Amino acid sequence: MNKKSFMVVMMLSLLTISSMISCGDDEDEIATTRTTVYDTVRTEILHHDTVRTTVYDTIRKVINDTLQVVNYDTVRTHATDTLQIVNYDTIKVAIYDTVRVTIYQNELDGVYAWQLYDYLDKKSDMTLFYDIKIIDKNPNLDSIWLSIREHPDIKINLDLRACRELEEISNNRWGTYDLHNLYGLTLPENLNAIGNYTFYGWTNLTEIVIPDGVTHIGENAFRYCTSLQKIHLPDGLTCISEGMLDSCVNLQHIDIPESVSSIGDYAFQNCKAFEWEINIPENVTYIGQRAFCNCTNLRQITIPKGVKNVEEMTFGGCTNLESVTLLEGVTSIGNYAFSNCTNLYEISIPKSVTSIGDYAFSGCKNVYNIVIPEEVSYIGSGAFESCTNLSWTNFPNNITRIRAYTFANCTNMSEINGYMPETVTEIGYEAFKNCTVLNGLTLSNGVATIGGYAFSGCAGFSELTIPASVTNIGEHAFEKCTNLTNIKFEGTTPPKISDRYYYWYNWYNTDALAGFEGKISVPFVAVEAYKKADGWSKYADRIVGY
């Protein structure tokens, strides 16, 4: 409907009201009459050029001495609850509760609600304009285009239940823009699909009713609906698509239907108001990357046995998550899967797990012990970094490397149960840095490389034995080991402890023993070899034989 047609609707409505005021009253009575129209005023658009205005139910005249009809050109329209003609110097028409626009012209293939605010007298006082409901009754409607000028006092509720031909809403068929003031939406029962990005960024949408016949909701369909508080997902839904409810920060509750088998990447990311526990159906076999990332109010989660992989950052940043149940069947825990779950105090890793990804539990500062199953063959970099309350863990027998930062800043870890397995060949950069109360560690005979800063800040060490298999030690490996008085080297060939590297137009020398002040014990037969080896000569006075 174009601007001219809309203005015809408004003027004919006012003329109808005018005729009701003047009809059957003499001049004296008009001066003492207030006319109130109760219930509903409905404007039915039959064609672009035909308007029928019907006033329903009862008109009652209340005797009063304040009505003065001065000028119809200055009428202002406001939405609140009943229709009143109350005039002091100008006539004000106040339509309370609803304005209903009904489309009957079947040839139309869309609803055109042309920037309603532009036709409601922008210069008028809009503070009483609260609610517009657009109710479409065209059964052949199969696409919608709405353009409603954003205004903080306009609230749109869209009810499309009568549109029986509307089976799919998508970003192409649902051509909306500037609908930041749409608060409520009711969809038709025949709807079976909601496309990608359909309601993306509708920041004032608080509630939506999705019909039970909907079996597909596309990617990012409700992403950034930051005011959404309530949504019902239909029972036939099989997949929670990627980013479907991402950043719905006020959504408190979600019932995931039992029919769902897959939860996509970013599906519930940043849903910070989520209740304590989310029930994930047993049928679910896939939970995507960052699916529940930064759900900061979530307290408990159980991952179904059908899920084989906990993907990257799936629960990262869930700062109030206290307990996670991983059922037998999970084989891998991905990178950052539980990183910065700062209140997580208990995690049981099932025996089916063979891989723990990079930074999987980093920043879980309240976890107090972790049992790593013997079946685990891969532990990623920083897997347990900054688990500051972790006091005990173990080495599984199948790992080959302790990677960079694996236990860095685990400041309360006093014991690692069992011997380091012979399969371990490398201790990575800062692997045990700042494990300040770790009171000892036996390195396996398979270790060939000790990375830079690997044991830096391990103040609980009093002595350390370096096996003969070690051929290379990185820079500052034993720095700030303030109680370490003796390092015992078992090999007769001195390992490489210094190196040169080029950085920012300069060459630099590295030194593995920099910052270590204690005694260096080596086999008697190798004392001279150590003292003469590259990088060792500066420590010659501290090298002793055993």
Side-chain angles (χ1 to χ4, degrees), residues 98-378:
T98 63
V99 175
R100 296 188 177 185
V101 180
T102 304
I103 305 296
Y104 280 106
Q105 186 175 348
N106 289 340
E107 296 81 36
L108 287 177
D109 61 359
V111 177
Y112 296 85
W114 292 96
Q115 300 187 352
L116 295 181
Y117 176 54
D118 283 348
Y119 298 95
L120 293 171
D121 186 2
K122 290 182 288 186
K123 296 180 181 180
S124 297
D125 177 10
M126 298 296 294
T127 57
L128 295 179
F129 193 94
Y130 288 115
D131 192 9
I132 298 177
K133 289 187 180 179
I134 303 172
I135 302 179
D136 190 276
K137 292 187 177 179
N138 177 10
N140 295 323
L141 185 76
D142 65 359
S143 65
I144 295 177
W145 187 277
L146 287 173
S147 170
I148 301 173
R149 188 184 182 95
E150 183 174 359
H151 188 281
D153 296 319
I154 298 178
K155 297 182 180 180
I156 313 293
N157 286 295
L158 189 61
D159 188 330
L160 297 170
R161 284 175 291 185
C163 302
R164 295 187 296 275
E165 297 299 318
L166 191 61
E167 296 182 351
E168 178 182 354
I169 295 178
S170 68
N171 197 37
N172 293 328
R173 300 167 67 88
W174 180 260
T176 59
Y177 62 94
D178 290 341
L179 275 178
H180 302 294
N181 47 0
L182 193 142
Y183 283 71
L185 180 65
T186 305
L187 299 171
E189 290 298 323
N190 286 351
L191 196 70
N192 54 49
I194 297 172
N196 299 346
Y197 292 91
T198 301
F199 304 103
Y200 182 101
W202 289 24
T203 55
N204 280 321
L205 183 65
T206 58
E207 181 177 351
I208 185 167
V209 178
I210 301 176
D212 288 334
V214 172
T215 57
H216 173 76
I217 300 176
E219 295 177 3
N220 301 295
F222 300 97
R223 193 174 192 176
Y224 296 122
C225 291
T226 53
S227 295
L228 186 64
Q229 298 177 13
K230 185 176 181 181
I231 186 170
H232 167 71
L233 300 180
D235 289 336
L237 198 64
T238 59
C239 174
I240 307 293
S241 298
E242 179 178 323
M244 193 176 89
L245 289 159
D246 182 4
S247 299
C248 294
V249 294
N250 281 301
L251 185 63
Q252 298 180 8
H253 175 79
I254 191 75
D255 286 324
I256 302 174
E258 293 295 325
S259 54
V260 168
S261 61
S262 174
I263 299 174
D265 300 346
Y266 311 95
F268 301 105
Q269 180 179 239
N270 296 321
C271 291
K272 297 183 178 182
F274 261 175
E275 60 189 1
W276 284 21
E277 183 175 7
I278 299 295
N279 181 33
I280 300 177
E282 292 183 1
N283 291 330
V284 170
T285 58
Y286 177 80
I287 302 174
Q289 296 181 17
R290 305 179 72 101
F292 294 91
C293 179
N294 293 329
C295 293
T296 53
N297 203 41
L298 189 62
R299 301 291 179 91
Q300 299 180 60
I301 200 77
T302 298
I303 298 174
K305 60 183 178 181
V307 175
K308 300 301 181 185
N309 305 306
V310 181
E311 301 292 338
E312 183 171 321
M313 215 166 184
T314 300
F315 300 97
C318 293
T319 52
N320 279 306
L321 187 64
E322 296 176 352
S323 177
V324 174
T325 302
L326 296 173
L327 299 180
E328 203 69 39
V330 175
T331 59
S332 70
I333 298 172
N335 299 342
Y336 300 92
F338 298 96
S339 64
N340 294 315
C341 292
T342 53
N343 274 333
L344 184 64
Y345 65 88
E346 183 177 5
I347 179 94
S348 178
I349 302 175
K351 293 181 179 180
S352 54
V353 171
T354 60
S355 174
I356 299 173
D358 298 345
Y359 302 94
F361 297 96
S362 66
C364 295
K365 63 182 183 180
N366 279 314
V367 171
Y368 59 89
N369 71 66
I370 292 177
V371 178
I372 304 173
E374 293 297 328
E375 290 75 13
V376 171
S377 60
Y378 179 91

Side-chain angles (χ1 to χ4, degrees), residues 16 38 77 81 156 223 280 478 486 523 526:
T16 303
Y38 287 84
T77 304
D81 196 43
I156 313 293
R223 193 174 192 176
I280 300 177
F478 312 103
N486 182 35

Side-chain angles (χ1 to χ4, degrees), residues 490-516:
E490 293 185 331
T492 56
T493 301
K496 184 179 180 180
I497 64 169
S498 65
D499 203 353
R500 282 172 59 81
Y501 66 95
Y502 186 75
Y503 177 75
W504 201 250
Y505 306 109
N506 287 295
W507 282 96
Y508 295 88
N509 293 318
T510 63
D511 186 350
L513 298 176
F516 170 64

